[in-house]
Amino acid sequence: MTTLTLLHPGSMGAAIGAQLVAVGHRVLWIPDGRSQHTRQRADRAGLTPAPSLRAALSASDIAVAICPPGVAEEIAHEVDELAFSGVYIEANAISPERVLRLATSMTARVVDGSITGPPPPGPRATRLYLAGDPESVTIVEDVFNGADVEVHVAGDTPGAASALKMAFAAFQRPARTLAALAHALADTHGVGDLLMEEAGRMPHDLLSDTAYLPTVAARAWRWGPEMLEVADALRSAGLPGDLAEATASVMRHWDSDKDRPDLPLAEALAHLKRVTSGMPQS
């Protein structure tokens, strides 16, 4: 049995903690200052209350941070001030650069982690990706052995797992937000049913099928201005047009790829980085 400290028993954290308890580990948490709702959630997950963070960490081999990104560094600093030297699983949705900063500044052995999928258990798998020192990563893999969480190794450099999370979120979060904007705009003009018909004709593998991306670059010269028109339409309907404008801004990076649908994928992606003073290079 391994003793772990769960630093933030939110819905995902508590669900992960419950899985660790289910496979025989002792998971501590600090109830001081937490709401009754959080206390009930921790109790349902089988977590063991500890009198303080110091007491929890002194009894633990592993600390698990699954918290909102805005407090990720604050929590890491609190742990570091107590000279915790075990394995610190940094499983927050933060950038690779922030993970590297923590990994190089903390006394603990930081394992970069990212979680995708719904809280376990569920009909769809919860995936935990890990990156860092192989010995520390193996320790984390071992404690999840038998849990209803798929564990995958993303690399041996902290930041790799978080980079995957950021890449996935870069598509999923805006895509769902754009879907809401599209339906709100269509409903404003009474064409929601027709939008649903068009949606039924769309491919459902936009992230997994990358072959079409060079054709996006080739048409960006035309689609960019179209997105500015979309921004105007959204604002006229009382909706935010920022995402549409941002899309147009990104598409300007492909200006020199006009009518080049045979552009190699790697080149099309590389052109997104061609920026000088905020504008794409020719």
Side-chain angles (χ1 to χ4, degrees), residues 6-242:
L6 181 63
L7 296 165
H8 195 281
S11 56
M12 178 62 80
I16 295 292
Q19 288 297 312
L20 292 168
V21 170
V23 294
H25 301 301
R26 182 173 179 239
V27 181
L28 306 177
W29 79 291
I30 301 89
D32 185 41
R34 304 310 300 268
S35 69
Q36 184 61 29
H37 179 69
T38 300
R39 291 168 181 263
Q40 292 172 347
R41 182 166 53 210
D43 185 61
R44 289 194 300 269
L47 310 185
T48 301
S52 66
L53 179 59
R54 181 183 297 275
L57 292 175
S58 65
S60 298
D61 301 304
I62 299 173
V64 186
I66 306 173
C67 62
V71 297
E73 290 187 79
E74 176 185 341
I75 289 176
H77 291 154
E78 289 179 4
V79 170
D80 200 46
E81 286 175 357
L82 295 173
F84 178 68
S85 59
V87 174
Y88 185 85
I89 306 175
E90 169 48 74
N92 306 307
I94 62 176
S95 70
E97 291 73 24
R98 291 181 73 185
V99 173
L100 281 170
R101 186 160 62 243
L102 294 177
T104 55
S105 65
M106 294 182 69
T107 301
R109 292 176 287 165
V110 176
V111 171
D112 174 26
S114 68
I115 302 170
T116 58
R124 294 187 293 118
T126 304
R127 283 92 59 201
L128 171 63
Y129 292 90
L130 304 172
D133 168 62
E135 181 180 347
S136 300
V137 167
T138 298
I139 291 172
V140 178
E141 287 183 290
D142 288 344
V143 297
F144 278 95
N145 186 35
D148 195 7
V149 176
E150 290 185 5
V151 179
H152 304 271
V153 178
D156 57 9
T157 303
S162 287
L164 174 63
K165 177 71 172 183
M166 294 295 97
F168 183 70
F171 173 81
Q172 189 205 44
R173 308 308 193 242
R176 295 188 179 202
T177 305
L178 284 170
L181 286 173
H183 284 287
L185 179 59
D187 287 347
T188 298
H189 293 276
V191 292
D193 55 338
L194 297 178
L195 179 64
M196 287 298 293
E197 290 181 15
E198 288 299 321
R201 300 184 180 101
M202 291 182 64
H204 296 285
D205 52 0
L206 291 177
L207 184 58
S208 60
D209 179 10
T210 59
Y212 72 94
L213 292 176
T215 69
V216 177
R219 289 178 283 185
W221 67 274
R222 177 167 52 85
W223 284 3
E226 183 178 323
M227 292 309 298
L228 295 178
E229 297 296 322
V230 171
D232 286 344
L234 287 166
R235 290 201 170 96
S236 294
L239 299 164
D242 308 69

Side-chain angles (χ1 to χ4, degrees), residues 236-282:
S236 294
L239 299 164
D242 308 69
L243 278 173
E245 286 185 339
T247 302
S249 178
V250 171
M251 285 183 168
R252 284 200 296 271
H253 297 184
W254 281 320
D255 277 352
S256 64
D257 298 326
K258 178 181 178 181
D259 299 331
R260 295 183 61 196
D262 57 345
L263 191 69
L265 173 63
E267 189 174 345
L269 298 181
H271 289 175
L272 291 175
K273 301 179 181 180
R274 307 184 296 185
V275 183
T276 300
S277 301
M279 293 299 293
Q281 298 175 358
S282 60

